[in-house]
Amino acid sequence: MSLALLLEQVLNGIQLGVMLFLMAAGLTLIFGILNFISLVHGSLYMLGAFFAASVYGWTNDFVVSAVLAVLGTFAVGIVLDVVAFRRLYMRSHLDQVLGTFGLLLFFNDLTLLIWGAEPHFIAMPQFLSGSVPLVAGSRYPIYRLAITGAGLAVAAALYVLIMRVRLGMLIRAAASNRQMLGGLGINVRRLILLVFGLSAAMAGFAGVMTGPLVAVQVGMGDAILITAFVVVVIGGIGSVRGAFLSALLVGLVDTMGRALLPHWLGYSAGPAVASMSIYLLMAVVLLLRPAGLFAAGRA
Amino acid sequence: MTTPKFTLALLALIAAAAVPWLGQPYLTRLATSVLILGIAATSLNIVVGYGGLVSFGHAAFLGIGAYTVGILGLAGLHSGFLGMPAAVAAAALAAFLIGGLSLRATGVFFIMITLAFAQMLYYAVIAAVPIGGDNGLRLDPVTFGSRVSLNQQTSLYYVSLVSLVAALYLCRRLVLSRFGRVLRGIKDNERRMISLGFFAYRYKLAAFVIAGGLGGFAGALFANLDAYASPELIHWTMSGDMLVMLILGGVGTLAGPVLGAAAFQLLQEVISSYTKHWMLFFGPLLLLIVLVSNRGVLGLVFREARRDG
């Protein structure tokens, strides 16, 4: 395998990792504060992509459709919290899984009803299409670099929000003791509402950004939801920093596995093993560090 | 033994035994799948209902059971005396491996990990071309000696019925045994049971393995019903469906999983006869059921009945 191809795969892996982080960060925030597991997160990713596809169909403007899609998923997150999640926080994990499973089935079928079964496509924005030179005459698409950068910017903003801003301090406080925070006169319910909206918007953003690279279709959120779970498990539940490092690790392992393993193991066994690689990684982490790699510091 | 419950169960059994006599192949097939789903949900109930462990990867064991029958068939082995125990053994072994790792974690972690491992198996199966890849694996139903073949609808129906009764008996004995008491103790207060000197991990793993083996048996029956080992059996929505059956019937009750399986199948039939978007209605219904009652529809009915009486 040439250096150019290797470098390209590394960049692809980082790009996948950044998108996974946008999903996993929301999941781990929600879990850290509420001890709540949501299966709807993949649906928000899917909705983000579909919203963007529709708005793009009307306006032909990628930026406008991205912004509206992220606002749309933010709103869906708020509505979900008011209608359903609020009543599920205090319940058992089984109830949370089943309740959000019901919502996931609903969203999949609703999307099928509105947008149909055939895949939709979002065109890349004009100013981000094309490619830049990499090493040895090979080239790399600007769009992938751009979404990696956008994802990293969101990650940095999230870091600043959580660690440097009053709102983030309240979020961290809610994660360590929700009742106490309420007792100090903070409107915890509104804070949680905001966190749900925020995590929904991040999932939607990931969906929008990935949209031009893949076929936008029903069920696209389910696969990435489970991969995001793997990220959360490896990173350590409740740790946003852990989610970031683990997302990059999972993105790289998955991409490199798919690129390299068929070379090494042949084209019949290679793809099968490659599709298992991140789960095997998870198994190894569980053997060595059952609480995840970066579970030490929460928040 | 002549409690009202026992009489009710006996009547249900007689009614169930009469189904093939109606001579309606479609109905018999539907009833067979309810019976098999009942076995599958019963096996999951051992882990979820009595062990308090929310496994979201139970479909893995159904799939392993089904594919074991299929792979033995590829090798020319069609005897049920070999196929069914092999399916149970293979699924139990997988449950030992998956459970051994997953049970190192608890709570939400455990849910995500079991889900991830089952999905790993799904991806591995659809990438494995020698066993059919994403087309699944066609197979010949197994035979027991020269007389009984699960190819015949009636034989399969009665084998499934007897298996379900045996599975329920096994489940009841298990729950009432010392093992079952320890398991329920761990569900209620794990730390206390550990202080009392029980190795909680081993008990949970044992329950997980038993449930996995029984799940494998149900999967093998499914393979015979369809003459086909389908990757869809391993898909994570199947794991979700089985949990739904538990909540419909009532988690941690003996009859709950079976009634839940019947209710699930019936709901699916009824709603999808009106619209092909059956999940559009079923999803919110499920959410509503979860919000209204955590003791299942059965629990709801019985609670109402008790209030009336």
Side-chain angles (χ1 to χ4, degrees):
Chain A
M1 171 165 285
S2 70
L3 179 68
L5 201 55
L6 195 69
L7 195 61
E8 193 184 316
Q9 294 302 330
V10 169
L11 287 173
N12 282 347
I14 292 173
Q15 182 254 312
L16 175 63
V18 169
M19 292 301 125
L20 283 173
F21 169 72
L22 293 177
M23 294 284 295
L27 284 173
T28 208
L29 265 182
I30 295 170
F31 180 79
I33 297 175
L34 295 166
N35 197 12
F36 178 71
I37 178 170
S38 165
L39 299 178
V40 199
H41 223 64
S43 306
L44 294 163
Y45 172 86
M46 173 180 75
L47 284 177
F50 272 103
F51 286 163
S54 277
V55 179
Y56 187 80
W58 302 324
T59 62
N60 257 349
D61 188 328
F62 183 79
V63 177
V64 170
S65 41
V67 170
L68 285 181
V70 170
L71 288 176
T73 47
F74 181 84
V76 174
I78 298 280
V79 170
L80 277 176
D81 181 54
V82 173
V83 172
F85 293 163
R86 192 164 283 183
R87 294 169 179 79
L88 283 171
Y89 306 151
M90 306 302 175
R91 307 292 286 271
S92 69
H93 285 147
L94 179 61
D95 286 355
Q96 296 174 358
V97 164
L98 285 166
T100 52
F101 184 59
L103 285 170
L104 175 145
L105 297 178
F106 170 76
F107 277 118
N108 270 349
D109 226 353
L110 185 70
T111 312
L112 198 64
L113 192 69
I114 296 176
W115 282 282
E118 70 280 8
H120 292 242
F121 296 94
I122 307 174
M124 268 174 216
Q126 199 72 54
F127 62 97
L128 292 177
S129 53
S131 56
V132 288
L134 214 57
V135 290
S138 70
R139 301 180 70 82
Y140 193 76
I142 296 175
Y143 184 73
R144 279 182 187 267
L145 287 179
I147 61 173
T148 307
L152 287 174
V154 171
L158 190 67
Y159 175 81
V160 172
L161 174 73
I162 292 178
M163 302 309 282
R164 293 279 182 271
V165 176
R166 185 180 153 79
L167 178 67
M169 186 187 72
L170 293 178
I171 292 176
R172 280 181 289 145
S176 62
N177 193 334
R178 209 160 70 235
Q179 277 81 13
M180 181 67 85
L181 191 66
L184 290 171
I186 303 296
N187 188 338
V188 178
R189 175 158 279 187
R190 201 189 300 159
L191 185 72
I192 291 170
L193 191 68
L194 197 66
V195 171
F196 264 113
L198 192 69
S199 65
M202 282 196 291
F205 184 65
V208 175
M209 293 291 124
T210 315
L213 297 175
V214 296
V216 176
Q217 57 190 335
V218 175
M220 66 183 282
D222 301 353
I224 197 157
L225 173 75
I226 295 171
T227 316
F229 279 165
V230 172
V231 169
V232 172
V233 168
I234 290 178
I237 281 181
S239 157
V240 174
R241 192 179 43 135
F244 182 72
L245 296 170
S246 139
L248 289 183
L249 184 67
V250 168
L252 281 171
V253 166
D254 191 52
T255 310
M256 301 307 277
R258 281 175 209 284
L260 296 176
L261 286 175
H263 277 282
W264 294 342
L265 299 174
Y267 285 90
S268 58
V273 179
S275 64
M276 294 166 69
S277 56
I278 57 168
Y279 305 99
L280 297 174
L281 176 71
M282 181 181 80
V284 173
V285 169
L286 281 173
L287 271 178
L288 303 176
R289 301 276 296 267
L293 288 181
F294 310 98
R298 276 164 64 115
Chain B
M1 283 293 269
T2 49
T3 59
K5 262 187 185 173
F6 184 76
T7 319
L8 208 62
L10 206 64
L11 285 175
L13 188 63
I14 294 169
V19 167
W21 291 63
L22 297 175
Q24 301 213 1
Y26 178 75
L27 187 67
T28 310
R29 198 193 138 77
L30 192 68
T32 312
S33 81
V34 167
L35 293 175
I36 302 175
L37 281 175
I39 299 173
T42 297
S43 69
L44 181 60
N45 192 32
I46 295 174
V47 185
V48 179
Y50 300 111
L53 304 160
V54 183
S55 166
F56 206 146
H58 206 62
F61 310 124
L62 295 193
I64 288 173
Y67 273 92
T68 305
V69 171
I71 291 168
L72 286 175
L74 280 184
L77 301 164
H78 298 291
S79 166
F81 292 116
L82 174 70
M84 301 309 279
V88 172
L93 179 67
F96 181 75
L97 294 174
I98 293 178
L101 280 169
S102 313
L103 286 168
R104 291 169 68 86
T106 51
V108 178
F109 248 130
F110 181 77
I111 301 173
M112 294 182 185
I113 293 163
T114 45
L115 171 60
F117 277 130
Q119 200 62 8
M120 168 182 94
L121 193 72
Y122 174 76
Y123 287 129
V125 164
I126 61 172
V129 179
I131 53 169
D134 55 4
N135 292 323
L137 186 57
R138 300 237 151 261
L139 55 89
D140 294 324
V142 298
T143 54
F144 292 93
S146 55
R147 292 184 148 274
V148 181
S149 164
L150 295 193
N151 208 359
Q152 289 143 352
Q153 206 182 31
T154 319
S155 316
L156 180 61
Y157 181 82
Y158 283 115
V159 167
S160 304
L161 183 60
V162 171
S163 305
L164 176 62
V165 173
L168 288 174
Y169 179 72
L170 173 91
C171 183
R172 186 171 166 75
R173 287 303 297 266
L174 199 71
V175 171
L176 295 178
S177 70
R178 179 175 177 280
F179 173 82
R181 283 166 202 274
V182 175
L183 191 66
R184 282 180 291 157
I186 293 169
K187 180 191 173 192
D188 289 341
N189 192 334
E190 180 163 354
R191 206 174 285 174
R192 183 178 294 169
M193 293 305 280
I194 293 173
S195 313
L196 286 171
F198 292 103
F199 289 98
Y201 177 82
R202 289 186 201 169
Y203 280 91
K204 290 194 283 187
L205 184 56
F208 199 81
V209 170
I210 294 169
L214 192 56
F217 187 83
L221 287 177
F222 262 125
N224 283 299
L225 176 65
D226 299 331
Y228 175 56
S230 163
E232 288 308 306
L233 272 182
I234 320 178
H235 196 257
W236 69 283
T237 46
M238 185 73 201
S239 301
D241 288 348
M242 281 189 280
L243 283 174
V244 172
M245 290 169 208
L246 286 191
I247 197 94
L248 283 180
V251 185
T253 60
L254 190 68
V258 183
L259 295 173
F264 182 80
Q265 197 79 322
L266 216 68
L267 268 175
Q268 186 169 1
E269 289 288 319
V270 171
I271 303 180
S272 55
S273 70
Y274 289 104
T275 165
K276 67 175 179 168
H277 294 285
W278 85 282
M279 287 188 233
L280 201 60
F281 299 92
F282 184 71
L285 182 68
L286 178 60
L287 179 66
L288 205 66
I289 289 170
V290 169
L291 290 179
V292 169
S293 161
N294 50 4
R295 295 196 306 154
V297 172
L298 198 67
L300 208 62
V301 172
F302 278 130
R303 195 173 53 187
E304 294 298 330
R306 213 168 294 151
R307 199 179 292 158
D308 293 343

